[in-house]
C-alpha cells in the first residue's frame, strides 16, 4: 500500500484507519477535529463513526439493598472524563422493581415492576431513556431463570424464560419473547434434570457462540437462542476434583467461554477457557495468584474486575482476608470492591443508539 | 492441523527481503496464524503490503511481546512463596510498557505504515499501541496545530470555520448527556 514516506495523514491512511485513531480521542479533542478540514469534519460527524464511538457505558448494574446503581468500569471505557452515574432513575420509578436480565451488549434491561398481584414486565434501555412494557409471560409458573439477548443490529431482542411447573414434575417450562412478533411463544419443555440456583440473578448469564450459558450445580447449561434448544456442557475434569464450596462463575475471556474458581486459601484463582466450543474442549487450567503482580495488564484485569463484582452467598466474593495484600497494591480495585456488598449483579455494556423495538408511538 | 515440525517460518516483504522468525512469533499476527493453521505447510509467506523496513519493526514488536508473555507464564507457574514474589514481576510489566513507549517514538510516516501493517496483519496489540500513539499526537492541539502537524490542507473559508466552531458547542452535547445519564424520554 504505502511504500514511500507519506506527506499528509489523509493521503497515508484510509478513512477506516483515521476513524480507528479518532476513537482513541476524548470528546474535547474530537470537537477540535471537526474544525480541521472538511474531510475530518465529515468523518467525525458520520453516523458510522458515532456508532463506533458509542461504546459509551461499560460497568456493572448492581442491587445494593433497596435500589439499583451503576458502577462504571473506568478502565474499560476509553473516555478520560468519567462522570458520576447515580441511580438509574428509570429503574427506580416504582418501588418494587426487579431486574431479571441484562443483555451482554446494547444495554437492554428486562425488569419486572409491581407487587405480588400486578406484576408487569418491561424492557428498557437506560442509556437512551427508552422503556416499554411487554406482554407478561405465564406468571403463575415461578421463574427459574431469565436472559435477554439483543440482535446484532441492536434493534430487536429476544428474552428466554425458564419456569417451574406446578407439582413435583422434573421438567422446566420454556418461553421465548421475540420483539419482532411482540409476544411470547412456548418452546419445548426441558426434560433434562436441570435446577437453576435460587440466586441465579447474582451471576448473570453469559452469551457466547450464539447461546446463553448459566452455571448450575450440575454443570453448565447452554441454551441456543436460534435453534431454541438446550444442552449441558461438561465441566473441566479437574474442576470436579475440589469441593464445590469454592465460589465459581462463568465469564468470557477473549470472547471464549471460561470458568473461574476462587480459592479461599489464598488470593488465587483457577481459570479454564474453552478452546473449542463445537467439540466442548476445555483448555488447560491456569492458576493465577493475584498477589504476584500488580493487576494492570490486559490479560487478567477484566477477569479481576469481574470477580470484584461477584456475589458468593449474598456477600462480595473477594471479602476473604487473604485478599488484603492484593488490595494494598491495587487501591483502585479496593475502592471498587468496597462499594459492592453482594447481591444481584449484572455486567452492563451499552451504546447510546436508540433501540427500534422499544420505540413507543404516542 | 498445525504441526510442530517447522518451528521457523519465513516472511517475505513486498520488496523481496526475507525474514526467518520462530513460528510462535509470526503467529502474533492473526492473519499469518490463519494461513499457517488453515492452509498449513507454508514455509514462506509473502506479505505484499508490507515493506522490509516496516516488517522488521513489526517482527521486533512480536518477538518482544512473545518473550514477555513466555517470561510471565514461567513466573506464574513457579510458586516461590507469596510475600517475596509480590515485587518480583512488577518490573517486567513496567519494562514492557516502557519498551512499547519507546517503540512508537518514530516519525509520522513510519507510524502510519505501522498502523496499516498492524491492521493488515491483524495484530491487535500493535494496532492499539500505534493508534493510541497517533491519537496522542492529536490530543491537546488546536485545529490549526493539527493541520500543520499532519500537513493537512484546509479548504474551509474563515466564515465556514467560524460557523463550525459555533456548531461545535452542540456537536457532542448528546454524547455528553447520555454519558451523564440525563437523556430521559
Amino acid at each position: 500500500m504505502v511504500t514511500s514516506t507519506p506527506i499528509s495523514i489523509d493521503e497515508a491512511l484510509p478513512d477506516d484507519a483515521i476513524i480507528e485513531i479518532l476513537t482513541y480521542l476524548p470528546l474535547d479533542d474530537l470537537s477540535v477535529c471537526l474544525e480541521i478540514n472538511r474531510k475530518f469534519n465529515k468523518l467525525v460527524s458520520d453516523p458510522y463513526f458515532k456508532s463506533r464511538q458509542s461504546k459509551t457505558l461499560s460497568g456493572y448494574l448492581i442491587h445494593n439493598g433497596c435500589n439499583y446503581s451503576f458502577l462504571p468500569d473506568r478502565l474499560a471505557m476509553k473516555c478520560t472524563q468519567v462522570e458520576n452515574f447515580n441511580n438509574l432513575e428509570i429503574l427506580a420509578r416504582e418501588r418494587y422493581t426487579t431486574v431479571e436480565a441484562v443483555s451482554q451488549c446494547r444495554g437492554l434491561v428486562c425488569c419486572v415492576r409491581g407487587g405480588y398481584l400486578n406484576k408487569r414486565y418491561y424492557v428498557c434501555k437506560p442509556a437512551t431513556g427508552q422503556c416499554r412494557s411487554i406482554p407478561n409471560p405465564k406468571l403463575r409458573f415461578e421463574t427459574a431463570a431469565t436472559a435477554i439477548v439483543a440482535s446484532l443490529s441492536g434493534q430487536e431482542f429476544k428474552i428466554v424464560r425458564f419456569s417451574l411447573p406446578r407439582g413435583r414434575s422434573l421438567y422446566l417450562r420454556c418461553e421465548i419473547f421475540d420483539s419482532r412478533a411482540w409476544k411470547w411463544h412456548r418452546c419445548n419443555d426441558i426434560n433434562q434434570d436441570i435446577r437453576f440456583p435460587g440466586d441465579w440473578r447474582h451471576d448473570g448469564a453469559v452469551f457466547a457462540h450464539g447461546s446463553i450459558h448459566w452455571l448450575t450445580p450440575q454443570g453448565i447449561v447452554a441454551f441456543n437462542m436460534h435453534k431454541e434448544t438446550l444442552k449441558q456442557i461438561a465441566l473441566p475434569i479437574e474442576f470436579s476434583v475440589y469441593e464445590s464450596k469454592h465460589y465459581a462463575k462463568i465469564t468470557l475471556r477473549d470472547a471464549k467461554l471460561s470458568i473461574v474458581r476462587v480459592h479461599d486459601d489464598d488470593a488465587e484463582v483457577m481459570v479454564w477457557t474453552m478452546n473449542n466450543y463445537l467439540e466442548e474442549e476445555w483448555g488447560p487450567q491456569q492458576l493465577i495468584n493475584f498477589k504476584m503482580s500488580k493487576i494492570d495488564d490486559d490479560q487478567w484485569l477484566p477477569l479481576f474486575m469481574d470477580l470484584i463484582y461477584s456475589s458468593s452467598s449474598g456477600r462480595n466474593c473477594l471479602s476473604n482476608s487473604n485478599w488484603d495484600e492484593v488490595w494494598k497494591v491495587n487501591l483502585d480495585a479496593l475502592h471498587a470492591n468496597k462499594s459492592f456488598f453482594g447481591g444481584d449483579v449484572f455486567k452492563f455494556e451499552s451504546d447510546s443508539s436508540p433501540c427500534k423495538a422499544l420505540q413507543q408511538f404516542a | 492441523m498445525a504441526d510442530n515440525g517447522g518451528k521457523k517460518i519465513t516472511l517475505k516483504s513486498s520488496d523481496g527481503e526475507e525474514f526467518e522468525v520462530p513460528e510462535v512469533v509470526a503467529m502474533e499476527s492473526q492473519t499469518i496464524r490463519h494461513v499457517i493453521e488453515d492452509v498449513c505447510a507454508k514455509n514462506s509467506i509473502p506479505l505484499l503490503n508490507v515493506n522490509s523496513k516496516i516488517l522488521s519493526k513489526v517482527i521486533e514488536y512480536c518477538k518482544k511481546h512473545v518473550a514477555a508473555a513466555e517470561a510471565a507464564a514461567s513466573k506464574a507457574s513457579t510458586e516461590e512463596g507469596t510475600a517475596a514474589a509480590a515485587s518480583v514481576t512488577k518490573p517486567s510489566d513496567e519494562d514492557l510498557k516502557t519498551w512499547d513507549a519507546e517503540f512508537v517514538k518514530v516519525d509520522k510516516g513510519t507510524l502510519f505504515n505501522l498502523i496499516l501493517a498492524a491492521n493488515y496483519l491483524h495484530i491487535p496489540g500493535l494496532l492499539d499501541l500505534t493508534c493510541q500513539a497517533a491519537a496522542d499526537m492529536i490530543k491537546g492541539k488546536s485545529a490549526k496545530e493539527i493541520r500543520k502537524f499532519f500537513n493537512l490542507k484546509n479548504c474551509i473559508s474563515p466564515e465556514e470555520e467560524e460557523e463550525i466552531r459555533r456548531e461545535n458547542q452542540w456537536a457532542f452535547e448528546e454524547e455528553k448527556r447520555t454519558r451523564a445519564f440525563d437523556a430521559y424520554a
Side-chain angles (χ1 to χ4, degrees):
Chain A
M1 251 178 187
V2 184
T3 45
S4 56
T5 25
I7 301 169
S8 64
I9 189 173
D10 56 352
E11 285 172 25
L13 296 174
D15 287 355
D16 286 345
I18 297 182
I19 287 178
E20 185 70 32
I21 295 171
L22 293 176
T23 56
Y24 285 75
L25 287 173
L27 285 178
D28 290 335
D29 291 297
L30 276 178
S31 311
V32 172
C33 285
L34 281 173
E35 297 169 29
I36 296 174
N37 64 13
R38 275 217 188 89
K39 175 166 182 152
F40 271 76
N41 184 297
K42 195 163 147 277
L43 284 178
V44 175
S45 327
D46 193 76
Y48 168 67
F49 175 71
K50 279 204 167 136
S51 69
R52 284 286 322 266
Q53 245 279 309
S54 296
K55 201 190 156 199
T56 46
L57 289 163
S58 185
Y60 298 85
L61 193 64
I62 63 172
H63 189 256
N64 266 343
C66 45
N67 48 30
Y68 286 93
S69 53
F70 173 76
L71 296 183
D73 187 0
R74 287 182 168 82
L75 304 138
M77 296 196 284
K78 279 184 185 144
C79 59
T80 50
Q81 340 153 255
V82 181
E83 283 110 31
N84 258 332
F85 300 94
N86 293 318
N87 284 344
L88 294 149
E89 275 184 33
I90 204 165
L91 292 177
R93 270 185 199 152
E94 285 182 34
R95 274 183 75 194
Y96 303 106
T97 304
T98 312
V99 170
E100 296 283 291
V102 173
S103 63
Q104 193 123 309
C105 54
R106 305 290 188 170
L108 297 176
V109 177
C110 173
C111 55
V112 181
R113 290 181 184 166
Y116 186 62
L117 291 176
N118 55 350
K119 281 191 177 168
R120 286 246 42 148
Y121 267 67
Y122 287 81
V123 174
C124 57
K125 184 160 183 169
T128 56
Q130 292 172 296
C131 188
R132 193 171 172 189
S133 67
I134 65 171
N136 282 350
K138 298 282 181 263
L139 289 177
R140 61 181 179 276
F141 303 104
E142 193 190 323
T143 306
T146 310
I148 180 169
V149 176
S151 68
L152 273 175
S153 63
Q155 304 304 307
E156 307 286 341
F157 57 86
K158 265 189 178 178
I159 303 174
V160 61
R161 175 179 176 258
F162 298 108
S163 49
L164 303 166
R166 300 280 183 79
R168 293 183 55 78
S169 322
L170 286 176
Y171 71 93
L172 285 175
R173 294 183 80 258
C174 175
E175 294 167 279
I176 290 192
F177 180 83
D178 192 329
S179 66
R180 288 168 299 187
W182 206 255
K183 57 182 187 154
W184 294 88
H185 67 264
R186 191 169 167 189
C187 295
N188 290 332
D189 291 339
I190 310 294
N191 286 312
Q192 300 157 58
D193 181 24
I194 290 168
R195 274 158 278 161
F196 289 98
D199 58 356
W200 58 271
R201 281 187 205 81
H202 283 192
D203 291 322
V206 172
F207 184 66
H209 308 280
S211 297
I212 304 235
H213 303 80
W214 284 270
L215 182 63
T216 68
Q218 294 90 40
I220 296 179
V221 165
F223 184 79
N224 188 308
M225 289 306 274
H226 290 296
K227 299 188 193 145
E228 299 181 1
T229 53
L230 189 136
K231 72 170 179 179
Q232 297 196 61
I233 297 177
L235 291 169
I237 306 168
E238 307 97 333
F239 191 91
S240 340
V241 171
Y242 293 89
E243 294 280 311
S244 57
K245 66 174 161 73
H246 288 288
Y247 172 72
K249 78 180 287 188
I250 47 173
T251 181
L252 275 182
R253 286 197 62 228
D254 291 334
K256 292 189 193 153
L257 185 67
S258 300
I259 183 164
V260 180
R261 189 174 61 208
V262 180
H263 293 172
D264 276 341
D265 329 319
D266 203 348
E268 268 177 359
V269 158
M270 189 80 91
V271 182
W272 292 264
T273 302
M274 185 164 267
N275 283 335
N276 191 326
Y277 188 78
L278 284 174
E279 312 282 339
E280 293 184 22
E281 276 173 22
W282 291 99
Q285 60 187 11
Q286 291 174 284
L287 181 70
I288 305 121
N289 189 315
F290 280 107
K291 284 187 199 164
M292 298 289 218
S293 54
K294 187 157 163 48
I295 308 156
D296 59 0
D297 71 280
D298 291 336
Q299 225 202 350
W300 301 117
L301 183 59
L303 180 72
F304 184 54
M305 291 301 295
D306 227 24
L307 288 175
I308 289 178
Y309 297 112
S310 294
S311 305
S312 170
S313 316
R315 283 169 47 241
N316 188 314
C317 90
L318 299 184
S319 50
N320 190 297
S321 60
N322 284 314
W323 290 86
D324 288 349
E325 286 222 29
V326 179
W327 303 134
K328 274 188 207 145
V329 185
N330 298 281
L331 289 175
D332 277 343
L334 169 67
H335 179 73
N337 182 264
K338 290 303 175 207
S339 54
F340 176 63
F341 302 106
D344 292 353
V345 60
F346 301 90
K347 182 107 184 57
F348 186 85
E349 298 252 352
S350 183
D351 63 340
S352 51
S353 318
C355 175
K356 190 180 80 147
L358 296 180
Q359 271 164 3
Q360 299 250 46
F361 302 104
Chain B
M1 292 294 227
D3 64 306
N4 294 321
K7 257 177 37 181
K8 284 203 183 282
I9 199 145
T10 306
L11 302 176
K12 208 164 150 187
S13 69
S14 60
D15 45 350
E17 206 174 310
E18 293 193 342
F19 298 81
E20 206 188 35
V21 293
E23 198 179 81
V24 63
V25 169
M27 304 242 275
E28 282 283 289
S29 154
Q30 295 189 17
T31 307
I32 295 177
R33 189 171 76 191
H34 287 318
V35 171
I36 295 175
E37 286 179 349
D38 297 344
V39 182
C40 67
K42 274 255 176 186
N43 289 322
S44 171
I45 299 180
L47 300 169
L48 300 172
N49 284 352
V50 191
N51 68 28
S52 53
K53 177 184 168 200
I54 299 300
L55 186 56
S56 67
K57 282 284 277 181
V58 169
I59 289 172
E60 196 190 324
Y61 174 89
C62 296
K63 276 190 176 153
K64 179 72 182 180
H65 278 248
V66 164
E70 281 172 353
S74 66
K75 278 208 181 85
S77 59
T78 53
E79 280 153 39
E80 313 225 305
T82 53
S87 51
V88 166
T89 45
K90 259 199 256 180
S92 65
D93 286 345
E94 300 292 318
D95 282 347
L96 190 62
K97 281 207 160 68
T98 314
W99 190 92
D100 278 351
E102 282 302 311
F103 180 80
V104 282
K105 280 187 183 157
V106 291
D107 63 274
K108 279 177 289 200
T110 309
L111 186 65
F112 297 156
N113 278 331
L114 280 172
I115 291 176
L116 289 170
N119 183 50
Y120 171 65
L121 295 170
H122 206 62
I123 307 172
L126 182 60
L127 186 64
D128 184 66
L129 178 66
T130 48
C131 282
Q132 182 70 66
D136 289 343
M137 289 176 176
I138 298 176
K139 269 190 211 171
K141 288 191 164 78
S142 72
K144 197 167 166 190
E145 287 165 350
I146 297 175
R147 254 181 249 137
K148 187 159 174 227
F149 187 72
F150 286 125
N151 291 313
L152 289 164
K153 295 186 207 76
N154 178 21
C155 1
I156 314 181
S157 67
E159 293 82 21
E160 270 184 274
E161 203 176 314
E162 181 52 46
E163 199 185 313
I164 291 173
R165 211 171 285 140
R166 259 185 289 121
E167 277 177 15
N168 256 359
Q169 289 180 359
W170 308 107
F172 288 95
E173 273 317 302
E174 201 202 293
E175 289 283 307
K176 286 179 182 168
R177 271 192 308 133
T178 51
R179 288 178 194 210
F181 256 80
D182 279 343
Y184 291 157

